[in-house]
Amino acid sequence: MYPRVIISSEKLKTNTEKVVGMAKPYGIDVFAVTKVFCAHSQIAQVLLKGGVKGLADSRIENLKTLGHLGVTRLLLRIPMISEVKEVVRHAEISLQSELATLRALDVAAKDLGVRHKVVLMVDLGDLREGVLPEQVETTVRAIEALEAVTLCGIGVNLTCYGGVIPDEDNLGELGRIATDVEALIGRPLEYISGGNSSSLYLLENGKMPSKINQLRVGETLVLGRETAYGATLDGTYDDAFILEAEIVELKEKGSVPKGKIGMNAFGETPHFEDRGKILRAIVAIGQQDVVVDGLQPLDEKIDILGASSDHMLLDVTRSDSAYAVGDILAFKMDYSAMLKLFTSKYVDKVLESLL
Ligand SMILES: *Cc1c(COP(=O)(O)O)cnc(C)c1O
């Protein structure tokens, strides 16, 4: 069934082993972030085979589906108060920054008769989630007063809203804050969580502050790309995930529409490059399923012209292949394309079995 995403278990496992192997000499555990592939259970299992210590996701619905794997599940998005019951049921650890939520979580954990672990997020400049450094002490004291919630770590998230790059300064500060918190609570913290795929370059250049012992990694596992500078890590694959879509029309047509140009399907006034007469293919996928700008045809002589909700238009004039209606075209994808492809129920996902 098309369209579909084919996932290479071998390439995915190689990417994972590479990242886990880079982190290991530093005493850093890698938690695999599953949100970009909507916590597809078989893909999560490949990442576990590759050596990740636990699974992390922003959405509790996703963590719920990973329960049968029996591994530690970390909730990434600071939870809604309205979902705390689900959080204590389906996540062993969660990231937190609000006392009101922590208190509601404590009640929910007591009601269920479980202990729930939390990582306090500290905002070191990126301005997404987290308490400010000067609020850490009072917040930690308040968490320590809770009965069923245990503070097990502190963490930071960078390069998400503000684009701030992790470095020796901000992650060094996280390390110092961790040392202060450990002194305050009188026990070591299990996790000093130093960010996402944008922190990996610090492992490559040997500049990761020693106190950091956990990273939460998504993009580099699936696309082999570190995200501070956008470099592909040596020995990883950027094509472990391939989109396949089917040609439903193939005709020679003009490249500039005929008639008065108004708005397109998305309320924008389109502009067209005049390529003269072209051989143009329509493939059966659209903006409902994918971020078209995030796709790259494997046939490098194909250009993507654009898409409506469910038709993607391609210029195949220059291609060396003689395509026909019914042929399948293949594409590499970026993070935003992958996110949308996995979220679309109209796109099949197929894992090549482990060799
Ligand atoms: C999404 C997310 C990650 C993973 O980010 P990548 O760039 O995919 O590695 C890590 N931490 C948090 C809090 C996240 O929301």
Side-chain angles (χ1 to χ4, degrees):
M1 211 180 81
Y2 298 97
R4 65 181 189 181
V5 177
I6 304 282
I7 305 113
S8 160
S9 312
E10 276 303 313
K11 290 180 178 176
L12 199 54
K13 186 155 163 276
T14 301
N15 287 1
T16 308
E17 285 167 348
K18 169 79 190 179
V19 172
V20 169
M22 279 168 70
K24 199 167 178 181
Y26 289 82
I28 292 177
D29 285 341
V30 176
F31 271 58
V33 174
T34 56
K35 66 193 180 202
V36 70
F37 53 85
C38 297
H40 189 292
S41 168
Q42 288 172 305
I43 298 177
Q45 288 175 61
V46 175
L47 303 181
L48 287 166
K49 283 205 182 88
V52 301
K53 267 281 147 62
L55 300 172
D57 204 287
S58 311
R59 294 168 195 257
I60 205 73
E61 295 95 318
N62 285 350
L63 291 183
K64 209 170 178 170
T65 67
L66 297 172
H68 67 284
L69 297 176
V71 297
T72 305
R73 292 167 298 171
L74 166 66
L75 179 65
L76 293 172
R77 184 173 62 193
I78 46 175
M80 299 178 260
I81 286 183
S82 60
E83 67 180 350
V84 291
K85 280 191 177 143
E86 297 290 294
V87 173
V88 296
R89 192 166 287 134
H90 301 295
E92 285 67 46
I93 314 173
S94 59
L95 305 185
Q96 300 289 339
S97 71
E98 286 288 353
L99 272 180
T101 311
L102 281 155
R103 291 196 180 104
L105 204 64
D106 191 42
V107 173
K110 266 187 289 191
D111 285 351
L112 194 68
V114 296
R115 291 200 70 81
H116 181 76
K117 290 186 188 178
V118 296
V119 170
L120 179 64
M121 295 300 276
V122 185
D123 192 327
L124 294 176
D126 199 57
L127 298 183
R128 204 175 78 174
E129 73 274 52
V131 301
L132 297 172
E134 55 269 28
Q135 299 162 338
V136 169
E137 188 181 332
T138 46
T139 312
V140 166
R141 286 184 196 280
I143 298 173
E144 287 293 281
L146 300 174
E147 290 167 45
V149 164
T150 308
L151 180 70
C152 74
I154 65 166
V156 68
N157 197 61
L158 295 160
T159 342
C160 265
Y161 176 70
V164 173
I165 288 178
D167 57 22
E168 287 171 289
D169 290 336
N170 47 37
L171 291 189
E173 191 181 352
L174 186 71
R176 284 190 294 279
I177 294 172
T179 305
D180 291 347
V181 169
E182 288 174 336
L184 182 68
I185 64 178
R187 62 175 190 277
L189 290 170
E190 194 177 347
Y191 298 116
I192 321 294
S193 190
N196 54 47
S197 295
S198 68
S199 295
L200 291 171
Y201 86 98
L202 291 168
L203 299 174
E204 281 196 300
N205 68 13
K207 298 239 164 98
M208 181 65 80
S210 62
K211 194 80 181 152
I212 305 299
N213 67 9
Q214 187 210 57
L215 293 174
R216 315 172 303 267
V217 182
E219 182 158 351
T220 309
L221 300 181
V222 291
L223 288 170
R225 193 170 163 274
E226 69 79 31
T227 55
Y229 300 101
T232 298
L233 289 189
D234 285 347
T236 63
Y237 295 96
D238 67 353
D239 60 353
F241 292 69
I242 293 292
L243 168 68
E244 294 181 341
E246 181 171 336
I247 299 177
V248 292
E249 183 186 294
L250 186 74
K251 291 187 193 307
E252 230 180 51
K253 287 193 182 181
S255 43
V256 178
K258 227 166 65 184
K260 217 158 90 188
I261 306 290
M263 286 185 295
N264 66 13
F266 298 99
E268 300 148 356
T269 306
H271 299 279
F272 298 93
E273 177 194 343
D274 190 355
R275 299 171 170 232
K277 263 212 175 343
I278 56 175
L279 183 60
R280 221 200 44 171
I282 301 180
V283 293
I285 191 164
Q287 298 207 37
Q288 184 157 18
D289 314 295
V290 69
V291 176
V292 173
D293 286 343
L295 292 178
Q296 193 186 328
L298 292 192
D299 180 341
E300 286 169 4
K301 294 184 173 170
I302 291 180
D303 297 316
I304 298 176
L305 298 169
S308 59
S309 304
D310 35 37
H311 298 72
M312 182 161 76
L313 310 183
L314 309 169
D315 180 351
V316 300
T317 316
R318 294 186 303 123
S319 175
D320 301 321
S321 307
Y323 292 115
V325 169
D327 282 354
I328 306 301
L329 297 180
F331 305 82
K332 287 202 286 193
M333 63 192 71
D334 72 3
Y335 189 88
S336 52
M338 190 184 298
L339 189 64
K340 209 160 178 185
L341 284 165
F342 273 86
T343 306
S344 172
K345 67 172 182 180
Y346 305 102
V347 179
D348 214 9
K349 288 89 189 175
V350 185
L351 199 77
E352 280 173 3
S353 58
L354 273 175
L355 298 173

